[in-house]
Amino acid sequence: MGMTAPQVVVHRDKELMAQATAARLITKIVDAQTARGTASVVLTGGRNGNGLLAALAAAPARDAIDWSRLDLWWGDERYVPADDPERNHTQAREALLDAVPVDPARVHVMPASDGPYGGDVDAAAAAYAAELAKAAGPEDHGPVPTFDVLMLGVGPDTHVASLFPEHPAARETERTVVGVHGAPKPPPTRISLTLPAIRAAREVWLLAAGEDKAGAVSLALGGAGEVQAPAAAAYGRSRTLWLLDRAAAAKLPTGMYPPASS
C-alpha cells in the first residue's frame, strides 16, 4: 500500500483544534456506521488526545453516534497498573468513556502490568496483537482490522504512539504490537502498535498543538526518514491528516496548508 500524501489543517488555537477535530470524528464515525453498520477508532493519549476526547464529550452531536456499534482500540499504553492515573485508558474514561454508552466488550484496552501477564510486557503485547488479529476479517487483508480513524499525538521528538526516534520499535516491520523497553520518556516500559499496524487504518490523523511541537511537525513533514522521525512514517490507506494549531504549524512553509477556515 503506497503512502498517502499528508493533508495539513491549521486551527487558530488548541481549543478550536480539539472542537473541530471532535466534529470531524463524529462525522467520520456516523458515516462509517451508516455504510457498514459499525465503526472502529484507535485512540491516543497525551494532552491533545485527551483534549479531543473532552471536546467530544461536550459536543451535542456526540449523540448521533451509535456508541454500542463502535470499537475502540489504543495506539499505545503505559505498562503500569490498571488503576494508574497515567494510563491512557484511565484518562480516556475520565474524559469521555464514562459519559457515553459504549459497549464494554468493544473497548479493547491494552493489558496492564498487574494483569495476567505480570511484568512480561512482550507477552502482553502479543496478546493485544492476537486480539487485533481476531477482530480482523477477510476484507482487511491482514492481521489487524482496517480502522476507520487512527489518531496519534505527535511528541516534540517526533514520536507517535510509543515509537521513538532510533528506537527498535520504530524499526519493526513484521509484528503489529510490540513491548517497548527503555523508552526515553517515562515510564520506560510500554505497549505500542507498530508502523505496519498504523498503516492499516483508512485514515491516520496526527494531532499537534503548541510551540513545543513546531520543530517536530516541520521535521516530519519535511521529508525526514521514518526511523529518525516516526511521525513521518505514519500514514493511512486513503488519507493522512495533520491537525495542528497555529503554534505547532509555525515552522511550516505557508504554502503547505490552506488558510485556516476557523
Side-chain angles (χ1 to χ4, degrees), residues 156-219:
D157 61 353
T158 73
H159 85 265
V160 289
S162 284
L163 306 177
F164 294 90
E166 306 289 349
H167 211 260
R171 304 174 187 270
E172 179 64 44
T173 59
E174 299 296 327
R175 291 176 293 174
T176 57
V177 189
V178 290
V180 176
H181 303 266
K185 177 182 178 183
T189 308
R190 298 157 172 259
I191 300 173
S192 183
L193 297 189
T194 62
L195 289 171
I198 288 168
R199 294 169 182 164
R202 288 185 176 87
E203 299 198 7
V204 170
W205 298 2
L206 298 105
L207 315 176
E211 60 185 20
D212 63 323
K213 305 293 181 71
V217 169
S218 175
L219 185 65

Side-chain angles (χ1 to χ4, degrees), residues 130-147:
E131 188 172 353
L132 283 164
K134 184 178 178 182
E139 70 280 4
D140 294 311
H141 307 295
V144 295
T146 305
F147 311 113

Side-chain angles (χ1 to χ4, degrees), residues 54-189:
L56 184 54
R62 77 178 201 194
D63 294 333
I65 295 171
D66 184 343
W67 293 95
S68 70
R69 293 189 294 128
L70 176 65
D71 281 283
L72 295 175
W73 302 86
W74 267 264
D76 74 323
E77 187 57 277
R78 296 161 172 85
Y79 200 58
V80 293
D83 60 356
D84 192 302
E86 290 299 305
R87 271 177 65 85
N88 290 334
H89 174 238
T90 305
Q91 295 173 1
R93 282 181 48 201
E94 292 172 353
L96 173 68
L97 302 185
D98 286 347
V100 292
V102 289
D103 177 356
R106 300 182 80 155
V107 178
H108 305 275
V109 182
M110 286 184 164
S113 64
D114 56 352
Y117 308 101
D120 191 345
V121 68
D122 297 310
Y128 203 70
E131 188 172 353
L132 283 164
K134 184 178 178 182
E139 70 280 4
D140 294 311
H141 307 295
V144 295
T146 305
F147 311 113
D148 291 295
V149 177
L150 184 147
M151 294 180 290
L152 297 166
V154 179
D157 61 353
T158 73
H159 85 265
V160 289
S162 284
L163 306 177
F164 294 90
E166 306 289 349
H167 211 260
R171 304 174 187 270
E172 179 64 44
T173 59
E174 299 296 327
R175 291 176 293 174
T176 57
V177 189
V178 290
V180 176
H181 303 266
K185 177 182 178 183
T189 308

